[in-house]
Amino acid sequence: VPIITLTTDFGVTDAYVGTMKGVILSVAPKAVLVDICHQVPAHDVHAASFLLHQAVPFFPPDTVHLAVVDPGVGSERRAVAVRTQLGTFVAPDNGLLSLALSLAGVEEAVSLTNTDYWLPGASATFHGRDVFAPVAAHLANGIPLSSLGSRVNDLVILPLPEPEFRSPDLTVAHVQYVDGFGNLILDITADQLPSKPVFEVAGLQVRGMHPTYAYGAPGQLIAYVGSTRRYVEIAMPCGHAAEVTGARVGTPVLIRCKVT
Amino acid sequence: VPIITLTTDFGVTDAYVGTMKGVILSVAPKAVLVDICHQVPAHDVHAASFLLHQAVPFFPPDTVHLAVVDPGVGSERRAVAVRTQLGTFVAPDNGLLSLALSLAGVEEAVSLTNTDYWLPGASATFHGRDVFAPVAAHLANGIPLSSLGSRVNDLVILPLPEPEFRSPDLTVAHVQYVDGFGNLILDITADQLPSKPVFEVAGLQVRGMHPTYAYGAPGQLIAYVGSTRRYVEIAMPCGHAAEVTGARVGTPVLIRCKVT
Amino acid sequence: VPIITLTTDFGVTDAYVGTMKGVILSVAPKAVLVDICHQVPAHDVHAASFLLHQAVPFFPPDTVHLAVVDPGVGSERRAVAVRTQLGTFVAPDNGLLSLALSLAGVEEAVSLTNTDYWLPGASATFHGRDVFAPVAAHLANGIPLSSLGSRVNDLVILPLPEPEFRSPDLTVAHVQYVDGFGNLILDITADQLPSKPVFEVAGLQVRGMHPTYAYGAPGQLIAYVGSTRRYVEIAMPCGHAAEVTGARVGTPVLIRCKVT
């Protein structure tokens, strides 16, 4: 039985997500539905891209990942389905898949032009329900990607956030995501760090690298390789690093070599 | 395997919804549970009624819809089960089903008086867990409605919100629901509009009708037929119409014929 | 098909919970997942303990309850699995299970030391995903507890909140949990009350005991036996007792015998 995950900015105070699930289960009654997140900040394509790429590697590769953060709904932006070794994605073609596709190359991508697999009488305002949900369900049922529309080779890929290597002594990374604990997830990976890094964010010193939170004293900012197993994070054990530093997405983090 | 949906004002910070699911799955282990919404504003029967009627048409007709917004729990208000062509409902008899039953007529309705289908030792404070959850599970298992209690013909139906047709030149609609994006869902349907409508809400002009968000310039209020496929909505593309206008449930929206 | 419940302080704005579910379903594809609560206040072990003990009795006894509120992740604190007649628990050994274990004695408890049942390459920051989720899934698959690690007999049990019986005329109970409706759940049970109790919280009189909300006038504080079927609660019908009284966890509630 295939899994279908859902990632949207539809929130949890309306019936929109539940309605999409009704559509999916009408088409694929045996699909197992898993919510990744429905509180992506409204229209924040990068945040959705980040959350999706965090979760995807931990699902079976036959999973269908449905993701809808879609400020351009009803415009000419394409809707796409993309198969990779990590899973199959259904999403608007607005860069939402950029980070996930940095983990796994595209095997096949199609534009969702075959309305046979849409809900009859699709609205222009709720493609999550009328286009993406039924297409994801048909994919879970085993419909081949090629039935859904014509192949595309020019998916919209947003540039990934990257640190600036300014000098041998100074690297400038950036906060790319702030999680619900207030932890700052940077755009630099462990192997991009200098050998004995010291971090500074908003004028505050950060001790690093630590193996985990438990090695930091409460009230002290620490750096460590986060649970993405990829990006460096900054946290305050028993505290909220984002509140303490005022950092948010895009805030620069200065990284220098420790002078001993 | 039948679906059971859940709509409540129990929130997501307590264990109440999870507890109801434990009861349901103890009775109907194979039921597929789908959350519609648990953040209905506390005791807001109309909001629950609206959300339910948005979602219900997109579920298979053998679905059991469990809805509990129940300010009168423990009082003499009835608990009911209602079968329609769109699905079977289990809810307090306080008008919560009004909008859903405007989409599909009642085939059979019963008062939930047979305590054999309640949880043993039902509390007086949590009928969601002790009455509605087990009854919904038994319905999903195929128990006939008539086993649950005696037939009723006088369900509480609240008057649906309606526009006022004041003159050939002026219709006054009202906001009946504000969604999480700040979109204003009115109580007027597209076929009730004058031929070239112009809208005014809180002194602000609204351009309409548009096919979808993408036709509005950012920062401009637009009107369109919303995803209910029924009611007219007002939104601000890339913005939050409710914040910009200050509109909330009940706010009047003036609709005039465009003078050309 | 066994149920796995999830209780965490991971929130619903990130992908953490969804990621755990990906891990669980990769190991136990047929497990039925039920969220108890993911908005436990960050690091609040007692709140998690309370919510878990509310829900657990309403699930089948073969359910696996996964609970992660884990301020000590990455430290030397143990991770444990505990089998009881009410269900099997997987959690950090920090007292989170205290209230649930007050309902059902420990049949067997082990420390999760066998890394064969962890995710390969477990991180030091996200044991929810890398340790607790796969272990819960293996338990749902029928792996015996004894395979997961060595037996322990010294689980961390926090003292349960208790009322103070100060004199024949005065008992001091405390708020142990405030729910989303603002209802105050005390640490006193109905059988611990004097025969005609009158309650006082924050200088305000509370009428009691009532069978349910519906017996109180709006705006009046009332006491009743709550849906735990165990603890006395204080609520304001159609109101928010916590806001009106300013009470929060730990606030004392004076209980005297009614003078007639």
Side-chain angles (χ1 to χ4, degrees):
Chain A
V1 187
I3 299 168
I4 299 176
T5 78
L6 298 96
T7 304
T8 75
D9 61 353
F10 294 165
V12 292
T13 60
D14 292 309
Y16 298 133
V17 172
T19 304
M20 288 174 65
K21 293 180 180 174
V23 171
I24 292 172
L25 293 172
S26 296
V27 174
K30 291 180 179 297
V32 173
L33 305 182
V34 177
D35 298 306
I36 304 295
C37 184
H38 296 294
Q39 304 209 58
V40 175
H43 305 158
D44 189 337
V45 171
H46 177 71
S49 181
F50 181 79
L51 292 171
L52 194 59
H53 111 287
Q54 269 193 311
V56 161
F58 296 92
F59 282 85
D62 64 346
T63 300
V64 176
H65 298 283
L66 168 55
V68 191
V69 174
D70 192 14
V73 63
S75 73
E76 299 297 314
R77 71 97 186 88
R78 294 185 302 202
V80 293
V82 182
R83 195 181 61 243
T84 75
Q85 287 199 327
L86 281 180
T88 299
F89 299 88
V90 180
D93 184 29
N94 61 10
L96 202 165
L97 304 179
S98 301
L99 269 160
L101 298 181
S102 77
L103 300 177
V106 175
E107 293 184 350
E108 188 180 354
V110 298
S111 179
L112 305 178
T113 49
N114 187 349
T115 56
D116 291 352
Y117 295 102
W118 300 12
L119 216 60
S123 73
T125 55
F126 194 1
H127 284 188
R129 178 192 68 191
D130 299 342
V131 178
F132 296 111
V135 163
H138 285 296
L139 282 169
N141 280 346
I143 294 288
L145 219 65
S146 54
S147 303
L148 301 171
S150 48
R151 189 178 281 234
V152 296
N153 295 298
D154 57 346
L155 290 172
V156 174
I157 302 292
L158 300 176
L160 298 188
E162 281 194 341
E164 307 158 48
F165 300 97
R166 295 226 182 134
S167 76
D169 288 338
L170 177 63
T171 300
V172 179
H174 312 85
V175 175
Q176 72 163 311
Y177 186 79
V178 179
D179 77 10
F181 291 96
N183 299 341
L184 312 175
I185 298 163
L186 308 186
D187 58 3
I188 195 166
T189 58
D191 58 295
Q192 292 176 313
L193 290 174
S195 60
K196 292 183 173 180
V198 288
F199 300 80
E200 181 187 323
V201 54
L204 297 168
Q205 298 302 312
V206 179
R207 291 191 43 177
M209 298 290 289
H210 287 68
T212 180
Y213 313 118
Y215 287 77
Q220 190 171 59
L221 291 164
I222 60 163
Y224 55 96
V225 178
S227 61
T228 57
R229 300 177 181 177
R230 185 178 186 189
Y231 293 117
V232 174
E233 301 183 21
I234 292 174
M236 177 171 282
C238 307
H240 194 281
E243 282 181 10
V244 169
T245 61
R248 36 189 199 164
V249 172
T251 296
V253 176
L254 309 185
I255 306 172
R256 294 190 177 85
C257 299
K258 186 174 185 176
V259 180
T260 49
Chain B
V1 189
I3 298 168
I4 299 175
T5 77
L6 297 97
T7 304
T8 74
D9 62 352
F10 294 165
V12 292
T13 60
D14 292 309
Y16 297 132
V17 172
T19 303
M20 287 174 65
K21 293 180 180 172
V23 171
I24 292 172
L25 294 171
S26 296
V27 174
K30 290 181 179 297
V32 173
L33 304 183
V34 177
D35 298 305
I36 303 295
C37 185
H38 296 294
Q39 304 208 58
V40 176
H43 305 157
D44 189 337
V45 171
H46 177 71
S49 181
F50 180 80
L51 292 171
L52 194 60
H53 112 287
Q54 270 193 311
V56 161
F58 297 91
F59 282 84
D62 64 347
T63 300
V64 177
H65 298 283
L66 168 55
V68 190
V69 173
D70 192 13
V73 63
S75 72
E76 300 296 312
R77 71 97 186 87
R78 295 185 301 202
V80 293
V82 183
R83 195 181 61 241
T84 76
Q85 286 199 329
L86 280 180
T88 298
F89 299 87
V90 181
D93 184 29
N94 59 11
L96 203 165
L97 303 178
S98 301
L99 270 160
L101 297 181
S102 77
L103 300 176
V106 175
E107 293 184 350
E108 187 181 355
V110 298
S111 178
L112 305 179
T113 49
N114 186 349
T115 55
D116 291 352
Y117 296 101
W118 299 13
L119 215 61
S123 73
T125 55
F126 193 2
H127 285 188
R129 178 192 68 192
D130 298 341
V131 178
F132 297 111
V135 163
H138 285 295
L139 282 169
N141 279 347
I143 293 287
L145 219 64
S146 55
S147 304
L148 301 171
S150 48
R151 189 178 281 234
V152 296
N153 295 299
D154 57 346
L155 290 173
V156 174
I157 302 292
L158 300 176
L160 298 188
E162 281 194 340
E164 308 158 47
F165 300 97
R166 295 226 182 135
S167 77
D169 288 338
L170 177 62
T171 300
V172 179
H174 312 86
V175 176
Q176 72 162 311
Y177 186 80
V178 179
D179 78 9
F181 291 97
N183 299 341
L184 312 175
I185 298 164
L186 308 185
D187 57 3
I188 194 166
T189 60
D191 58 295
Q192 293 177 312
L193 289 175
S195 61
K196 291 182 173 180
V198 289
F199 300 79
E200 181 186 323
V201 54
L204 297 168
Q205 298 301 313
V206 179
R207 292 190 43 177
M209 299 289 291
H210 286 70
T212 179
Y213 313 117
Y215 287 77
Q220 191 171 60
L221 291 165
I222 61 164
Y224 56 95
V225 178
S227 61
T228 56
R229 301 177 180 176
R230 183 178 189 191
Y231 292 117
V232 175
E233 301 184 19
I234 293 174
M236 177 171 281
C238 307
H240 194 281
E243 282 181 11
V244 169
T245 62
R248 37 189 197 162
V249 172
T251 295
V253 176
L254 310 184
I255 305 173
R256 294 189 177 84
C257 299
K258 187 174 185 175
V259 181
T260 48
Chain C
V1 187
I3 298 168
I4 298 176
T5 77
L6 297 96
T7 304
T8 75
D9 61 354
F10 293 165
V12 292
T13 60
D14 292 308
Y16 298 132
V17 172
T19 304
M20 287 173 66
K21 293 180 180 173
V23 171
I24 291 171
L25 293 171
S26 296
V27 174
K30 291 181 179 298
V32 173
L33 305 183
V34 177
D35 298 306
I36 303 294
C37 184
H38 296 294
Q39 303 208 58
V40 176
H43 305 157
D44 189 337
V45 171
H46 178 71
S49 181
F50 181 80
L51 292 171
L52 194 60
H53 112 286
Q54 270 194 309
V56 161
F58 297 92
F59 282 85
D62 64 346
T63 300
V64 177
H65 298 283
L66 168 56
V68 191
V69 173
D70 193 14
V73 63
S75 72
E76 299 296 313
R77 72 95 186 88
R78 294 185 302 201
V80 292
V82 182
R83 196 181 61 243
T84 75
Q85 286 199 326
L86 280 180
T88 298
F89 299 87
V90 181
D93 184 29
N94 60 10
L96 203 166
L97 304 178
S98 302
L99 269 160
L101 297 181
S102 77
L103 300 176
V106 175
E107 293 184 349
E108 187 181 354
V110 298
S111 178
L112 305 178
T113 48
N114 186 349
T115 56
D116 292 351
Y117 296 101
W118 298 14
L119 216 60
S123 73
T125 56
F126 193 1
H127 284 187
R129 179 191 68 192
D130 299 342
V131 178
F132 297 110
V135 163
H138 285 294
L139 282 169
N141 280 346
I143 294 286
L145 219 66
S146 55
S147 303
L148 301 171
S150 47
R151 188 177 281 234
V152 295
N153 295 299
D154 57 345
L155 290 173
V156 173
I157 302 292
L158 299 177
L160 298 189
E162 281 194 341
E164 306 158 50
F165 301 97
R166 293 224 185 138
S167 76
D169 288 338
L170 177 63
T171 301
V172 179
H174 312 85
V175 176
Q176 72 162 311
Y177 186 79
V178 179
D179 78 9
F181 290 96
N183 299 341
L184 312 176
I185 298 163
L186 308 185
D187 57 2
I188 194 167
T189 59
D191 58 295
Q192 292 177 313
L193 290 175
S195 61
K196 290 184 173 181
V198 289
F199 300 79
E200 180 187 323
V201 54
L204 297 167
Q205 297 301 313
V206 178
R207 291 190 42 177
M209 298 290 291
H210 287 69
T212 179
Y213 311 119
Y215 288 77
Q220 190 171 60
L221 291 166
I222 60 163
Y224 54 96
V225 177
S227 60
T228 56
R229 301 177 179 176
R230 184 178 188 189
Y231 292 116
V232 175
E233 301 184 20
I234 293 174
M236 176 171 282
C238 307
H240 195 282
E243 282 181 12
V244 169
T245 61
R248 36 188 197 162
V249 173
T251 295
V253 177
L254 310 185
I255 306 172
R256 294 190 178 84
C257 299
K258 189 175 184 176
V259 180
T260 49

